[in-house]
Amino acid sequence: MYKALYRQYRPRTFSDLVGQKVIAQTLENALKENKVGHAYLFAGPRGTGKTSVAKIFAREIEGIPSDSDQDTFTDIIEIDAASNNGVDEIRNLRDAANYAPIEYPFKIYIIDEVHMLSTGAFNALLKTIEEPPAQVKFILATTEPQKIPATILSRVQRFDFRRISVEDIVARLQYVLDDQKIAYDPEALTVIANASDGGLRDALSILDQAVAVSTTGRIELSDAFEITGSSRIDDQLGFLGHLLNKQTDQAFEDLHRLLLDGKDPVRFAEDLLVLLKNLMLVKIAPELVKETDSQKIQAFSAGYHNAVFQQVIDLVADSLAKMKQTTRPELYLEILAVKIVSQQSELQPKQDAIADQVPVDSAADAAEPSEQAADNTPVAQQLDNAHGNSSSEADEDSQPAQPVDQPRTVEQQIPTKKVLTSSTPVSTDSAAAWHVMAEAVKEELRAVQDAWPDIQADFDPAVLMLAENAEPVAASRTALIFAFNHPELADAAAETADFVGKLAESLSDLLGVDYQLVFISDTAWMTLKKNYIAKLHGADIDPPMPVPELKKNEADSQAALSQSPQLQPDIPEKSSEAVPEEAGDNADVVEKAEKLFGNIVKVKGEK
Amino acid sequence: MTPNDFSAQLKKQGILPAVLLFSGQEDFLAQQSLKKVEQSIETNFRAWDFVRSDMRDQSVPVVLQDVSTMSFSGERRFVIMDQPVFLSSKGSLEKQDEKNFLNYLQNPESENTLIVNTVGIDIDKRKKIVKALLKSGEQVNFEPLPEREVFKIVKRHLSLAHVLMADDVINYYLRRLAFDLRLVMTNLDKLILFGVSGKAIGQEEIDQLVTAELNESAFDLVTEINRRHLDKALQLYVNLIDRGEAPIRINALLQSQYRLLIQAKALSINDTQLAQKLKIHPYRAKLANQAVSVQTMPQLSNAYLDLAKIDFRLKSTTLDPTMLFEMFLSNNV
């Protein structure tokens, strides 16, 4: 009869034991010194040797030689508390404990999964455990020590078993395979050991299956993957790489290939999650990533900022929860892929979207294409410089070319030039607004305000909400500030090409001016106005600092992605709130701002 | 009376009072004293002359009757009332029982001794019966031993067993168990068994053999994070999870540790002042100040906020707690 590997190779002596050296040593000493206690508790995760140690220890107490072929002994009584958890069973045990052992010097009760006992059963056991008859010993084993009542815990000698290290498990698997004369690929063993999560029994069970599955008579890496259901790191990295580079078609090809191979979509998503975690972890502690392909992980990780991984993790975790509830998890895996790709494009520069969506034939664009182009050319160079040398002037000058905040953190893949093709200039930061206010003209504003209801009425229902929540608040001859009554709306509006396009068109139609648009929030506007007035009254206030992210250089651009979209609207407010303090020393401002906002404040270069 | 006085009196039994009230919090010492009482009685008469009654399932009249009965051997009999919850604010006695008890206290049997063991129970001193007990009985107070004493006891046990353990390792061991005498003594058995083979016991072995108290583990965790021993920190975390600690709880403890660090950073005063101000153990104050010296305020508050985020995620998602912790490490080291 075939016996599972984990039963064949259950250790018979303390020296056979894998891991738990200190515990083994202590128990051996207790035997040697003849100081065996009357009750023990072995706690620890499954497959770490609790039952094995209990059996070895019991045999040693009884003085049974380790080479004895017998499996069961009359005086070593193994009880599975999971199925004998009632008071009655424990009462029977208690009564039986009073009888003398039959063959051996002691009666030893091994109670496995002892946490499954009912409260009544525990109480019935209490007295016996505290003072058992001299010839009786108890060994309790459990995976969940926290469920054991304190009254029991204080009466037993407790040993906590630790997970077995990957190296120890691999060594044991090698020993078993050598003993069985089966050839193997060492990497396959690492995969198995990783999948077993520190439990040797699990590892041996997986090995057992791998042996059965193997067609070549040798344990190959592919066998290990097939049994553990996990996928190759290469596959995972390939898929993730395609997603992050927005190569959707290739990502889908990867996905379908995996599904055709019979991989479980849920398992694949879980693997992805682990991979993403490792990608983050490898940056600070490569030694903690015990996968077979840690170099590949490290190389991949170097290409991205942790914030990217973190965002993908959120998406994967979301999808994973849904996948577990549906009958078609593969569908959600595909949705996940699309989501990751689209979030990538959302995070990355928006200029494609705006450039594509704003109708090129709109009156606004047609009116002065040459002027824009002329304006933009020098800015292109300055913008390029701005990434390196961080000067606020560069920012202010580049306003006409700045569609929204995000594009300033330009991805490497996307040529910087693209920014300039955007034809509807919208800014959302206070620096731009300040600029407009400096040249504000009352009549212009009045004209716009008069026309505003008409313009509003003209909007599509789809974007009408944005228009209803906006109010023109200041205007110069060439630029116009809109205040939105919620910070997030200002950004949302700037990102909605339909809204921006229509607004530009209407303004151009009704007033004949192609305004440069600035969208800010109400609150930002109020502070700005206050500061501006203060300045007019002679206070020494500098214009708000441009949005910090500008100063990042190319290599760092990924870091900006860590600013989740929701955070963005806050930034103009923050920088404008910092303004009043700037009257004093600059360093002082930084200190104060840090006091107020903690580490969110980032100082990026001097002005 | 102190526990030591009690032991001394026990040896010259003649002068033991008729009613004793064991009070205080250190249950381990009280149990030890009771054991001494039991051992002071001749083996043949032990079952008769040493009676323990758990008052949760024994009525007062039965015990009173018991204590009024004379010993066959002519020696002193001891009757112990364990868990007298009726002396706390949570329980009460029936009128008749209380009256009987009060009567007994006024005129106790001087040949026998009644020990009312209230160790670990908060007695309600406004109760008539408690007042009477305090008046007519002798009180033995079992307070937790000072840390110095615990250290000495451990050291004595070790040297008796010829086990080698350096002083700083002993301190490490005691701190891991928060100087809880019962835990210290039960775990000491294991350590001694390991050490009898002649090998000196180091921190490594203690980590393997002794399950640390949860709060101490959280402190260790923060210490390891600060020392940038990530593998150790992760190991500690996994061990805690394996022991069945709820991730939310571990997270909360971590948060409280970081809160302490932020306080220490903000106050920036010396160890003793910090310990006094925040009412924490001086050793912790020392560690906190050490940890804080290498960290900036933004780093600390960042970590704190990150933990808050993890807390939210633990409660709202099904993400693996260990993974969240690893992400925390990767963000904060």
Side-chain angles (χ1 to χ4, degrees):
Chain A
M1 194 189 76
Y2 182 73
K3 230 170 149 187
L5 284 178
Y6 76 84
R7 290 184 62 201
Q8 279 184 58
Y9 288 91
R10 210 185 246 292
R12 298 220 151 190
T13 60
F14 280 122
S15 51
D16 266 359
L17 200 64
V18 180
Q20 328 296 359
K21 292 290 170 227
V22 178
I23 293 176
Q25 177 76 59
T26 311
L27 293 176
E28 275 191 289
N29 286 348
L31 287 164
K32 256 186 252 160
E33 297 282 313
N34 211 3
K35 278 188 185 157
V36 179
H38 58 260
Y40 288 86
L41 174 69
F42 294 164
R46 69 200 153 97
T48 49
K50 297 181 301 293
T51 316
S52 296
V53 170
K55 285 182 176 182
I56 297 171
F57 193 43
R59 273 191 229 187
E60 302 258 336
I61 295 172
E62 303 284 32
I64 300 166
S66 60
D67 50 0
S68 147
D69 279 338
Q70 235 177 307
D71 253 348
T72 49
F73 306 91
T74 40
D75 290 324
I76 300 178
I77 302 130
E78 292 177 44
I79 299 168
D80 176 20
S83 46
N84 303 295
N85 57 359
V87 185
D88 291 340
E89 278 97 349
I90 297 301
R91 288 219 176 108
N92 287 343
L93 179 156
R94 209 173 54 178
D95 297 341
N98 288 326
Y99 296 108
I102 301 164
E103 270 181 78
Y104 299 102
F106 295 102
K107 239 186 170 163
I108 300 172
Y109 288 93
I110 299 176
I111 308 183
D112 224 337
E113 306 299 333
V114 69
H115 62 270
M116 301 290 276
L117 289 183
S118 64
T119 326
F122 268 125
N123 285 335
L125 198 58
L126 210 58
K127 189 71 193 160
T128 324
I129 284 216
E130 188 173 16
E131 283 174 351
Q135 76 285 4
V136 173
K137 303 209 177 294
F138 284 98
I139 303 175
L140 314 178
T142 181
T143 46
E144 292 175 61
Q146 81 281 6
K147 288 191 181 158
I148 312 239
T151 40
I152 296 269
L153 285 181
S154 68
R155 286 166 170 83
V156 297
Q157 218 173 78
R158 172 175 174 174
F159 289 92
D160 281 86
F161 284 59
R162 302 285 147 86
R163 283 175 201 271
I164 302 167
S165 70
V166 172
E167 294 81 19
D168 280 354
I169 291 183
V170 170
R172 183 68 179 173
L173 295 182
Q174 277 173 344
Y175 169 81
V176 168
L177 287 174
D178 289 343
D179 197 56
Q180 295 267 320
K181 301 203 171 50
I182 300 173
Y184 56 86
D185 177 349
E187 282 201 13
L189 300 191
T190 316
V191 170
I192 294 176
N194 267 320
S196 68
D197 210 15
L200 190 55
R201 186 178 53 229
D202 287 11
L204 284 169
S205 298
I206 298 171
L207 188 65
D208 228 346
Q209 293 176 48
V211 171
V213 153
S214 160
T215 45
T216 54
R218 181 175 184 267
I219 311 279
E220 303 287 354
L221 193 55
S222 56
D223 298 329
F225 281 126
E226 192 171 327
I227 298 298
T228 57
S230 54
S231 35
R232 287 163 197 278
I233 292 288
D234 283 346
D235 289 345
Q236 298 168 23
L237 282 177
F239 177 63
L240 193 62
H242 287 145
L243 288 181
L244 293 180
N245 295 328
K246 297 200 280 179
Q247 292 156 314
T248 321
D249 45 344
Q250 272 138 317
F252 266 74
E253 264 172 41
D254 295 341
L255 208 53
H256 291 143
R257 205 177 48 241
L258 284 165
L259 294 174
L260 277 179
D261 280 354
K263 295 278 184 252
D264 177 15
V266 176
R267 183 60 200 265
F268 183 66
E270 282 169 353
D271 284 349
L272 263 186
L273 217 48
V274 174
L275 172 69
L276 284 162
K277 176 215 57 183
N278 282 337
L279 282 168
M280 289 176 68
L281 203 58
V282 85
K283 287 202 166 130
I284 49 151
E287 74 278 2
L288 284 186
V289 180
K290 294 219 171 70
E291 299 284 341
T292 31
D293 289 313
S294 55
Q295 286 99 347
K296 282 182 193 157
I297 294 179
Q298 208 159 356
F300 189 93
S301 169
Y304 298 87
H305 193 272
N306 269 358
V308 179
F309 299 136
Q310 209 146 23
Q311 246 146 4
V312 179
I313 283 179
D314 288 345
L315 287 176
V316 178
D318 274 359
S319 301
L320 199 55
K322 286 181 191 136
M323 281 164 97
K324 284 178 177 163
Q325 288 163 1
T326 167
T327 47
R328 294 191 60 195
E330 64 280 1
L331 189 64
Y332 275 97
L333 199 54
E334 291 183 351
I335 295 173
L336 169 68
V338 177
K339 266 192 190 165
I340 295 176
V341 172
S342 60
Q343 198 189 32
Q344 279 309 106
S345 21
E346 216 173 275
L347 290 170
Q348 284 164 5
K350 298 260 161 53
Q351 57 272 35
D352 316 84
I354 288 174
D356 292 349
Q357 285 164 22
V358 170
V360 185
D361 60 348
S362 80
D365 296 298
E368 44 162 10
S370 56
E371 198 190 318
Q372 284 249 336
D375 257 344
N376 288 340
T377 331
V379 176
Q381 290 140 5
Q382 274 178 326
L383 192 69
D384 278 346
N385 294 341
H387 284 292
N389 70 10
S390 71
S391 80
S392 58
E393 284 89 344
D395 176 39
E396 280 166 35
D397 286 351
S398 63
Q399 271 170 27
Q402 293 280 329
V404 279
D405 278 353
Q406 288 91 332
R408 294 179 206 198
T409 57
V410 180
E411 279 279 3
Q412 273 134 307
Q413 303 102 293
I414 291 134
T416 328
K417 282 262 155 61
K418 263 198 160 175
V419 179
L420 309 168
T421 62
S422 90
S423 43
T424 315
V426 178
S427 301
T428 55
D429 64 294
S430 313
W434 186 271
H435 216 65
V436 178
M437 287 171 73
E439 294 157 14
V441 184
K442 198 92 189 186
E443 293 81 62
E444 287 283 342
L445 177 64
R446 202 156 291 151
V448 178
Q449 275 172 339
D450 286 347
W452 183 236
D454 295 337
I455 299 175
Q456 264 182 321
D458 217 23
F459 274 106
D460 273 354
V463 291
L464 186 59
M465 184 271 287
L466 291 169
E468 279 172 346
N469 287 303
E471 197 64 50
V473 287
S476 70
R477 299 230 178 264
T478 54
L480 190 53
I481 303 179
F482 279 95
F484 286 76
N485 57 13
H486 195 280
E488 288 182 25
L489 278 180
D491 275 10
E495 283 159 26
T496 315
D498 283 352
F499 177 74
V500 177
K502 180 72 194 169
L503 183 60
E505 194 186 316
S506 304
L507 287 169
S508 168
D509 278 356
L510 286 168
L511 304 164
V513 187
D514 286 310
Y515 285 112
Q516 184 197 118
L517 301 176
V518 178
F519 293 171
I520 60 174
S521 72
D522 257 357
T523 39
W525 165 246
M526 294 312 284
T527 19
L528 207 59
K529 198 162 102 181
K530 215 171 67 201
N531 292 334
Y532 188 75
I533 292 167
K535 168 133 183 170
L536 285 184
H537 289 6
D540 180 21
I541 294 174
D542 291 325
M545 294 219 276
V547 180
E549 261 67 26
L550 177 72
K551 308 299 162 49
K552 305 223 173 200
N553 56 31
E554 287 286 342
D556 240 342
S557 62
Q558 288 280 2
L561 297 180
S562 66
Q563 297 285 348
S564 60
Q566 304 96 289
L567 269 177
Q568 297 275 10
D570 290 345
I571 292 163
E573 290 180 56
K574 292 263 153 67
S575 48
S576 55
E577 276 171 42
V579 169
E581 266 86 37
E582 279 187 24
D585 188 8
N586 246 350
D588 216 43
V589 175
V590 175
E591 227 178 76
K592 268 195 180 159
E594 266 178 354
K595 248 188 200 159
L596 280 171
F597 305 114
N599 58 313
I600 321 165
V601 175
K602 284 178 190 144
V603 184
K604 298 275 157 66
E606 299 295 324
K607 300 199 327 110
Chain B
M1 202 166 15
T2 68
N4 284 339
D5 296 342
F6 173 72
S7 306
Q9 284 207 9
L10 190 63
K11 284 188 182 132
K12 322 174 247 172
Q13 273 200 17
I15 51 167
L16 266 185
V19 178
L20 275 167
L21 177 69
F22 279 17
S23 59
Q25 294 300 323
E26 187 50 273
D27 186 48
F28 183 78
L29 285 179
Q31 298 300 336
Q32 258 192 342
S33 292
L34 288 175
K35 209 161 253 168
K36 275 185 199 155
V37 172
E38 188 179 0
Q39 276 156 1
S40 74
I41 301 163
E42 207 187 315
T43 340
N44 291 338
F45 296 101
R46 234 173 242 180
W48 173 248
D49 284 349
F50 183 80
V51 185
R52 294 187 73 157
S53 315
D54 189 327
M55 296 316 288
R56 284 172 302 187
D57 45 37
Q58 190 73 273
S59 70
V60 173
V62 175
V63 178
L64 290 181
Q65 204 171 9
D66 205 355
V67 78
S68 310
T69 317
M70 286 296 158
S71 166
F72 289 140
S73 62
E75 296 285 324
R76 186 169 281 272
R77 278 190 82 223
F78 291 90
V79 177
I80 292 105
M81 278 190 180
D82 280 318
Q83 302 292 328
V85 241
F86 55 83
L87 296 178
S88 74
S89 50
K90 285 186 193 109
S92 63
L93 272 185
E94 277 177 37
K95 271 249 158 69
Q96 192 55 43
D97 287 352
E98 186 175 300
K99 212 170 145 197
N100 287 344
F101 203 176
L102 285 171
N103 281 342
Y104 178 81
L105 288 179
Q106 275 182 357
N107 191 12
E109 177 55 62
S110 58
E111 295 294 306
N112 293 345
T113 294
L114 173 70
I115 300 179
V116 184
N117 179 13
T118 66
V119 176
I121 292 180
D122 283 324
I123 49 173
D124 185 352
K125 287 194 174 152
R126 293 166 304 180
K127 285 196 169 175
K128 203 171 170 193
I129 184 91
V130 176
K131 283 181 184 151
L133 259 173
L134 285 168
K135 201 175 132 214
S136 58
E138 183 93 40
Q139 197 178 350
V140 187
N141 206 5
F142 293 92
E143 286 306 325
L145 293 177
E147 288 169 8
R148 213 178 43 250
E149 285 297 315
V150 179
F151 181 88
K152 269 194 212 156
I153 293 175
V154 170
K155 202 156 167 125
R156 197 173 62 232
H157 271 86
L158 287 171
S159 68
L160 278 177
H162 303 288
V163 171
L164 302 172
M165 195 155 137
D167 281 4
D168 59 327
V169 181
I170 298 181
N171 266 322
Y172 176 75
Y173 166 66
L174 294 177
R175 274 199 309 278
R176 267 177 87 85
L177 299 173
F179 289 90
D180 180 318
L181 195 57
R182 176 184 299 277
L183 289 175
V184 166
M185 296 315 285
T186 43
N187 280 294
L188 196 58
D189 292 345
K190 278 192 287 187
L191 289 182
I192 288 177
L193 275 179
F194 178 82
V196 284
S197 46
K199 217 171 132 199
I201 300 175
Q203 290 198 1
E204 180 69 21
E205 283 76 27
I206 289 180
D207 285 342
Q208 291 279 325
L209 283 174
V210 180
T211 311
E213 214 246 335
L214 181 57
N215 288 331
E216 301 297 318
S217 299
F219 213 90
D220 285 355
L221 208 51
V222 177
T223 315
E224 296 300 349
I225 293 172
N226 289 336
R227 285 188 193 146
R228 289 161 203 245
H229 292 165
L230 297 186
D231 45 342
K232 272 201 184 158
L234 200 56
Q235 186 65 47
L236 270 171
Y237 190 87
V238 172
N239 286 346
L240 283 173
I241 297 280
D242 285 351
R243 265 168 56 190
E245 296 298 352
I248 293 181
R249 204 169 150 213
I250 304 175
N251 202 63
L253 277 166
L254 274 176
Q255 257 183 309
S256 75
Q257 290 304 340
Y258 269 99
R259 182 166 158 269
L260 170 65
L261 292 187
I262 288 174
Q263 286 172 325
K265 183 87 188 173
L267 289 168
S268 43
I269 45 180
N270 71 32
D271 300 350
T272 1
Q273 284 172 320
L274 188 68
Q276 272 167 6
K277 195 147 224 157
L278 300 181
K279 299 200 173 65
I280 51 172
H281 194 281
Y283 179 72
R284 286 202 168 171
K286 189 176 142 208
L287 276 190
N289 268 338
Q290 262 171 21
V292 155
S293 63
V294 292
Q295 298 241 32
T296 65
M297 193 57 137
Q299 274 175 330
L300 291 172
S301 59
N302 223 4
Y304 188 76
L305 291 174
D306 250 20
L307 286 170
K309 237 181 266 165
I310 291 182
D311 186 63
F312 176 74
R313 282 189 172 175
L314 283 174
K315 289 167 182 166
S316 62
T317 66
T318 50
L319 291 176
D320 175 27
T322 313
M323 192 180 84
L324 288 174
F325 180 71
E326 284 172 316
M327 277 160 53
F328 168 76
L329 288 183
S330 68
N331 282 337
N332 288 289
V333 177

